[in-house]
């Protein structure tokens, strides 16, 4: 039979989901201008199909999300980035 006041002891601590707080990388790095001529940097904000990642995933603030979207659109227009791609990354 089990004891009523038995302490359960684990060899390793139980994994608790501690999510990191999202932050705006532009505010943290104090980036004022997002360059549309740098497609390698802009690919961080685009998924495999070529769609823009939303703010809730990237953690970017509203102000800079609009600037990222504008920079991606300009890069696509100048054919620095593809509009649609299969497995872009």
């Amino acid at each position: 039979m089990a004891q009523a006041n038995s302490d359960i002891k684990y060899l390793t601590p139980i994994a608790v989901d501690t999510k990191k707080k999202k932050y705006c990388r532009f505010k943290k790095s104090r980036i004022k201008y997002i360059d549309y001529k740098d497609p390698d940097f802009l690919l961080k904000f685009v998924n495999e199909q070529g769609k823009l990642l939303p703010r809730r995933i990237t953690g970017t603030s509203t102000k800079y999300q609009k600037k990222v979207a504008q920079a991606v659109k300009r890069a696509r227009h100048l054919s620095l980035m593809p509009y649609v791609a299969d497995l872009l990354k």
Side-chain angles (χ1 to χ4, degrees):
M1 292 203 152
Q3 296 177 353
N5 294 340
S6 66
D7 292 330
I8 299 173
K9 295 182 181 179
Y10 297 99
L11 296 175
T12 58
I14 299 172
V16 178
D17 291 337
T18 56
K19 294 182 181 179
K20 290 183 180 179
K21 186 172 192 275
K22 293 179 191 171
Y23 63 92
C24 180
R25 68 177 79 192
F26 300 105
K27 285 184 180 179
K28 189 172 183 180
S29 303
R30 296 185 178 151
I31 297 174
K32 299 289 183 192
Y33 178 71
I34 300 170
D35 193 13
Y36 65 91
K37 294 173 274 189
D38 188 10
D40 296 329
F41 177 71
L42 294 176
L43 281 177
K44 296 177 185 175
F45 301 97
V46 176
N47 67 5
E48 292 84 17
Q49 290 90 24
K51 296 180 179 180
L52 278 171
L53 291 173
R55 286 182 51 225
R56 61 185 164 80
I57 294 175
T58 59
T60 309
S61 65
T62 306
K63 174 182 174 181
Y64 289 104
Q65 181 71 18
K66 289 178 185 177
K67 290 183 179 185
V68 165
Q70 188 65 36
V72 168
K73 288 175 187 177
R74 286 179 181 170
R76 285 175 176 165
H77 184 72
L78 294 174
S79 69
L80 299 175
M81 288 180 65
Y83 280 96
V84 179
D86 292 329
L87 301 174
L88 185 64
K89 296 180 182 179

